[in-house]
Amino acid sequence: MELTSLDLLPFIKENVKLLERMLPESIAIKLVFDQNRYQVNADPTRIQQVLMNLAINARDAMLTGGTLTFSLTSITVDLGQAPPLPDMGVGEWVSLAISDTGVGMSPQHLSHMFEPFFTTKSPGTGTGLGLAQVYGIVKNNMGGH
């Protein structure tokens, strides 16, 4: 793992171009952001792996098409302010949210979605490692929440 200073906006834009070539034409990709800089200390290869794993899951959830959205926002947590997540400290944060218009997961599956080898796909069509890898990368390698 090689952490480096990375502006997520141009990085995400480049990956969106790649995904537009990889995903079916029935899936539209949206990138939502304002004009802030989204500077993070992260491993670009790991971030790309997160994007690819989530895009593949989104593709599989949108068999007839839909929209895959990447949203970048800046968050400031001031002293004495309640942070959006319990582990977030005071300072500047970058939020990358990825959503799709797919079928979603049933409530009983949600509590298992980050478990290794858990999948909602038919036998032989999924490893159940995509979301577990995403969780591990964000939690262990980037101090993410």
Side-chain angles (χ1 to χ4, degrees):
M1 186 173 72
E2 292 185 35
L3 297 179
T4 184
S5 182
L6 177 68
D7 186 348
L8 274 182
L9 183 56
F11 184 81
I12 300 286
K13 284 180 177 179
E14 185 151 325
N15 278 276
V16 164
K17 288 179 191 174
L18 175 65
L19 289 169
E20 286 172 336
R21 292 189 300 271
M22 286 178 43
L23 296 176
E25 289 181 8
S26 60
I27 297 177
I29 302 176
K30 247 174 53 173
L31 176 56
V32 179
F33 61 94
D34 54 25
Q35 295 305 315
N36 288 331
R37 285 186 47 129
Y38 301 100
Q39 206 68 34
V40 296
N41 192 29
D43 183 331
T45 302
R46 300 287 186 208
I47 297 244
Q48 186 174 45
Q49 186 178 4
V50 165
L51 299 176
M52 294 298 151
N53 284 354
L54 293 175
I56 289 167
N57 273 13
R59 178 204 64 200
D60 294 347
M62 298 186 290
L63 295 176
T64 60
T67 304
L68 173 60
T69 303
F70 296 88
S71 300
L72 279 168
T73 55
S74 296
I75 299 170
T76 301
V77 178
D78 293 319
L79 192 60
Q81 177 185 6
L85 297 170
D87 295 337
M88 290 175 70
V90 171
E92 298 293 320
W93 295 85
V94 173
S95 171
L96 169 59
I98 302 167
S99 61
D100 64 66
T101 58
V103 295
M105 295 177 87
S106 66
Q108 69 263 26
H109 290 143
L110 284 176
S111 63
H112 301 287
M113 70 180 173
F114 295 121
E115 293 174 8
F117 308 110
F118 175 78
T119 183
T120 59
K121 297 173 184 160
S122 303
T125 60
T127 64
L129 291 174
L131 291 179
Q133 287 177 337
V134 166
Y135 181 81
I137 290 168
V138 171
K139 203 69 175 157
N140 297 325
N141 298 319
M142 292 178 254
H145 302 283

